[in-house]
Amino acid sequence: MPWPPTGWMEPLLSLREQVSAPVAPGAAADTSAVQAVAPPVAPTSAPTDPQTGLVAPGVMAPTLDEIDVEFDTLPQKGEEKLQAPVGSSKKRDLVIQYAREKLGMWYVWGGESDAEGGYDCSGLLYYAFRKAGIDIPRVSMAQADRGRRVPLNKLRPGDLVAWENNPAQRGADHIALYIGNGMILEAPKTGLKIRIRKLGASEGAWGVALDY
C-alpha cells in the first residue's frame, strides 16, 4: 500500500500524524528493499553522433550472433544468384568453382590461362577441368565427343552444353558448362566477357553427359 494511503486512514491516528509519518503506521521501515537502480548504460558499440558523442536514440549495434551472411555465397556484381547444385559430386563442384573464378574476364580466341588475358569457350573448360584433376581434350568438338549426347533436361551440374553453328564443319564449334537450374557458364565470343546466362530452349544446343 502506498504511503500516505489513498482513501484509507488509520482510525487511531490523527490526520496530521498519518500524513507526517515517514512509513506506514505500525510497519517498520525496510531499508533492505530499497536499492539504488543505476540508469541503463548504452552499449559502447552503438552508433553515436559524431558531434555530441551521444548514442543515437533507439539504435542498437548488431552483435556478431545477429549477423548471418555467408559472403562466399553472395553473387558477383552483375551475376544472378543461383541455387546450390543438387546431387553434384565434389569434383563437379570444383569444376564449377574454378570456372566461376573467371567470370568477367574477356573472351580471347585460343586463350586458356590468365597470362593470355582471357579464355575461349573450350579453353575455359580445359582450364577448369584440368585444375579439378579431370582430364579433358582442349578443343570444343573433342570435348563434346568425350561424353554421351543427352537432352538438355537430363543434364547434371558439371556436364556440358554444345552447339554446332558451322554446317561446313562437323562437330561442336561452341561449348559451355552447365551449372544447374537451366543456367550455363560460358566464354561466349570475341568482344564479350565470360558470363552466366539462362540457356534458351530453342538455341539448337544439345547436352553432353560426362562420367566423373
Side-chain angles (χ1 to χ4, degrees):
M1 176 180 295
W3 186 253
T6 303
W8 179 88
M9 293 295 177
E10 171 63 47
L12 300 181
L13 297 177
S14 68
L15 177 61
R16 182 183 300 277
E17 290 173 320
Q18 293 187 59
V19 172
S20 62
V23 295
D30 185 4
T31 58
S32 63
V34 180
Q35 298 180 355
V37 179
V41 179
T44 57
S45 58
T48 57
D49 184 284
Q51 295 182 348
T52 65
L54 299 176
V55 176
V59 179
M60 296 292 290
T63 65
L64 291 178
D65 292 336
E66 295 171 330
I67 301 174
D68 185 18
V69 178
E70 297 181 6
F71 293 98
D72 57 347
T73 65
L74 296 177
Q76 301 293 325
K77 184 177 181 181
E79 170 195 340
E80 179 177 348
K81 189 177 188 303
L82 305 176
Q83 298 177 9
V86 177
S88 58
S89 68
K90 180 65 174 178
K91 285 190 174 181
R92 288 175 177 266
D93 291 341
L94 285 175
V95 170
I96 294 172
Q97 174 188 325
Y98 293 140
R100 286 174 67 97
E101 290 175 358
K102 305 308 175 185
L103 287 171
M105 294 194 68
W106 288 103
Y107 175 97
V108 174
W109 189 88
E112 57 186 52
S113 68
D114 287 10
E116 297 165 276
Y119 300 77
D120 64 14
C121 63
S122 57
L124 175 63
L125 301 186
Y126 183 74
Y127 163 82
F129 275 88
R130 300 272 292 194
K131 188 169 182 180
I134 312 297
D135 187 33
I136 193 172
R138 171 61 181 87
V139 297
S140 58
M141 63 181 65
Q143 290 175 351
D145 288 340
R146 185 184 184 279
R148 304 184 317 277
R149 186 164 178 160
V150 298
L152 297 176
N153 62 2
K154 299 297 183 182
L155 289 173
R156 297 170 57 198
D159 285 337
L160 307 180
V161 178
W163 292 258
E164 184 175 349
N165 298 314
N166 185 0
Q169 179 177 313
R170 178 195 168 278
D173 47 39
H174 183 56
I175 200 155
L177 181 65
Y178 183 71
I179 61 174
N181 306 303
M183 309 295 288
I184 60 171
L185 193 158
E186 66 174 351
K189 61 181 180 179
T190 301
L192 295 179
K193 295 180 179 180
I194 296 172
R195 65 188 181 183
I196 288 174
R197 70 173 178 89
K198 185 77 172 178
L199 179 63
S202 59
E203 295 186 26
W206 71 90
V208 179
L210 301 178
D211 185 15
Y212 70 99

